[in-house]
Amino acid sequence: MPLTKHLLADKRLLFIAIIYSCLITVLFFIPSQDLPKTQLLEADKIVHILVYFILVNLWMLYLYVSNDYHFEKKWIPILLLSILLYGIIIEIFQGLFTVSRSADILDVVSNLLGSLLGIFFFKIVKQKLKA
């Protein structure tokens, strides 16, 4: 791939990852009465799993592409810890700065589960594409 095309691809992926991260940050602070109502408590946890599954995959894809389609295993704990810390901070801020939302440890667990599923998914897809 030509260098300019490679650099532009990196910037597009970085832009997408940053925009998605900002978007979910905003969405996690929308008052809960403005969100669609569901009868299932588990629906909230499934949303957290899906959101963090996508988040971790976007950042892993960016790291993978920006490093010439090479992914070092040492990045996984750093990325996982960063995203976990991000999720914990969001939950704390929800509890401190919003009226209609509260901090929920089960949301943090769901975030971690989504992140782990995302990492395993990325690794499986990467292996399948290389084969």
Side-chain angles (χ1 to χ4, degrees), residues 26-130:
V26 169
L27 291 175
F28 283 135
F29 287 100
I30 290 176
S32 60
Q33 66 266 19
D34 295 341
L35 297 173
K37 302 289 184 226
T38 62
Q39 299 295 349
L40 299 172
L41 174 64
E42 295 82 27
D44 172 56
K45 305 313 174 219
I46 291 169
V47 168
H48 278 266
I49 290 169
L50 182 62
V51 164
Y52 278 79
F53 176 89
I54 295 169
L55 180 65
V56 79
N57 271 284
L58 285 173
W59 283 106
M60 287 182 77
L61 183 61
Y62 166 71
L63 290 170
Y64 180 67
V65 170
S66 66
N67 287 283
D68 294 321
Y69 299 91
H70 175 71
F71 194 86
E72 294 188 29
K73 289 182 181 183
K74 68 179 179 180
W75 296 338
I76 292 174
I78 294 168
L79 183 62
L80 187 60
L81 203 57
S82 299
I83 290 177
L84 180 62
L85 182 61
Y86 164 79
I88 291 170
I89 290 170
I90 291 293
E91 289 301 317
I92 291 170
F93 283 4
Q94 281 180 339
L96 293 174
F97 302 119
T98 64
V99 177
S100 64
R101 290 185 172 253
S102 60
D104 185 355
I105 190 68
L106 292 178
D107 285 349
V108 174
V109 172
S110 298
N111 299 346
L112 178 60
L113 180 59
S115 298
L116 290 171
L117 289 171
I119 289 169
F120 291 122
F121 174 80
F122 185 87
K123 290 171 79 175
I124 288 169
V125 168
K126 187 174 71 80
Q127 288 173 351
K128 296 282 184 192
L129 291 175
K130 281 192 173 187

